[in-house]
């Protein structure tokens, strides 16, 4: 399964866009909802027009949480650089763009969001010219720009089609059978033990597998797995597989 990730300045509508595409709002923390600002990585999934299921990693836009952004963007197959029509290219737009460029993210789209706030199409044309200048020497220099309003639900079908085209000729990463799960969250559930969530970067995990936590070297055994809130006997490379194991 392919995984795409968001990038862009704070308050440019990344999480709202993901909610409009997937039906699931990625901001799950009370603090995130109260501040209307993403702090930790969020996850969602959706089906493209051709039926392919893809996962989405939503990252924080605020500069104070750049480490969280880095942890989410490293293993993606394509990026959505989100730029709001009422502000255009901003400091974290440039910072996130530099990160995408340094990591050589293999594919991407530029999503011009909040188009319902633009006064006319001429303003959007000017913004696109400015965006083209900003990405001209980066991995996104040839990336299509898709105009979207999550509020008015316009441009979403076009965006899904553009993602499908983007991924069409991009092969899935080879499975080297070396499962690694960078951990996003850790918590305990009565009767289950320790629960960890993250994005499986390679290989697969199955119930009963022994796992090792690095760098501590602590070992455990997987008692249960979920992918996209569905119980699984085995989890393959996909967003937010959840393993349940004893402490």
């Amino acid at each position: 399964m392919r995984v795409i990730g968001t990038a862009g300045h704070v308050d440019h509508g990344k999480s709202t866009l993901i909610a409009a595409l997937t039906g699931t709002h990625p901001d799950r923390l009370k603090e995130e909802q109260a501040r209307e600002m993403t702090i930790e990585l969020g996850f969602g999934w959706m089906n493209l027009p051709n039926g392919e299921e893809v996962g989405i990693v939503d990252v924080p836009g605020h500069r104070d949480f750049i480490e969280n952004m880095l942890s989410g963007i490293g293993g993606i197959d394509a990026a959505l650089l989100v730029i709001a029509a009422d502000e255009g290219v901003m400091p974290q737009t440039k910072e996130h763009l530099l990160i995408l460029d340094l990591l050589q993210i293999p594919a991407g789209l530029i999503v011009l969001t909040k188009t319902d706030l633009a006064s006319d199409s001429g303003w959007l044309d000017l913004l696109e010219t400015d965006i083209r200048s900003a990405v001209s020497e980066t991995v996104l220099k040839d990336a299509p720009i898709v105009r979207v309003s999550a509020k008015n639900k316009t441009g979403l079908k076009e965006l899904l089609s553009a993602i499908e085209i983007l991924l069409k000729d991009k092969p899935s990463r080879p499975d080297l059978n070396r499962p690694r799960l960078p951990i996003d969250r850790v918590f305990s559930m009565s009767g289950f033990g320790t629960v960890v969530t993250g994005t499986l970067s390679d290989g697969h995990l199955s119930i009963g597998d022994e796992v090792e936590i690095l760098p501590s070297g602590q070992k455990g055994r997987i008692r249960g797995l979920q992918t996209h809130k569905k119980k699984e006997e085995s989890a393959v490379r996909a967003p937010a597989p959840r393993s349940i194991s004893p402490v």
Side-chain angles (χ1 to χ4, degrees), residues 31-184:
E31 185 180 356
E32 290 177 318
Q33 295 166 9
R35 297 172 65 178
E36 296 185 347
M37 182 177 70
T38 300
I39 298 172
E40 295 188 354
L41 299 179
F43 301 92
W45 60 93
M46 63 188 181
N47 290 322
L48 299 177
N50 63 3
E52 179 184 0
E53 187 178 52
V54 297
I56 304 181
V57 180
D58 185 42
V59 305
H62 197 283
R63 63 184 178 87
D64 289 349
F65 307 113
I66 194 67
E67 294 87 355
N68 291 348
M69 184 271 182
L70 279 165
S71 68
I73 213 75
I76 63 173
D77 299 294
L80 303 181
L81 180 63
V82 178
I83 302 174
D86 60 333
E87 289 192 328
V89 176
M90 296 291 284
Q92 267 61 64
T93 308
K94 297 177 181 178
E95 189 172 29
H96 284 201
L97 184 58
L98 284 172
I99 292 170
L100 296 177
D101 204 44
L102 285 169
L103 295 177
Q104 289 294 295
I105 299 302
L109 292 171
I110 300 166
V111 187
L112 190 56
T113 56
K114 301 187 180 184
T115 54
D116 54 287
L117 300 179
S119 56
D120 55 52
S121 60
W123 170 250
L124 296 178
D125 292 339
L126 288 172
L127 277 178
E128 290 196 9
T129 299
D130 186 47
I131 292 168
R132 283 293 171 210
S133 176
V135 303
S136 61
E137 297 182 2
T138 74
V139 290
L140 296 185
K141 62 182 180 181
D142 298 319
I145 299 176
V146 183
R147 300 179 180 184
V148 170
S149 169
K151 179 181 179 180
N152 294 342
K153 308 296 184 184
T154 57
L156 297 179
K157 290 183 179 179
E158 290 79 3
L159 178 56
L160 288 173
S161 296
I163 294 171
E164 181 182 300
I165 293 170
L166 182 71
L167 296 177
K168 181 179 179 181
D169 298 323
K170 299 292 186 297
S172 298
R173 298 186 184 188
D175 185 348
L176 303 178
N177 197 28
R178 295 184 299 184
R180 300 180 303 281
L181 183 76
I183 295 173
D184 300 317

Side-chain angles (χ1 to χ4, degrees), residues 6-35:
T6 62
H9 193 75
V10 62
D11 200 32
H12 275 206
K14 297 185 294 298
S15 300
T16 302
L17 175 65
I18 299 310
L21 289 172
T22 68
T24 301
H25 202 290
D27 288 347
R28 63 185 183 277
L29 302 180
K30 290 183 178 180
E31 185 180 356
E32 290 177 318
Q33 295 166 9
R35 297 172 65 178

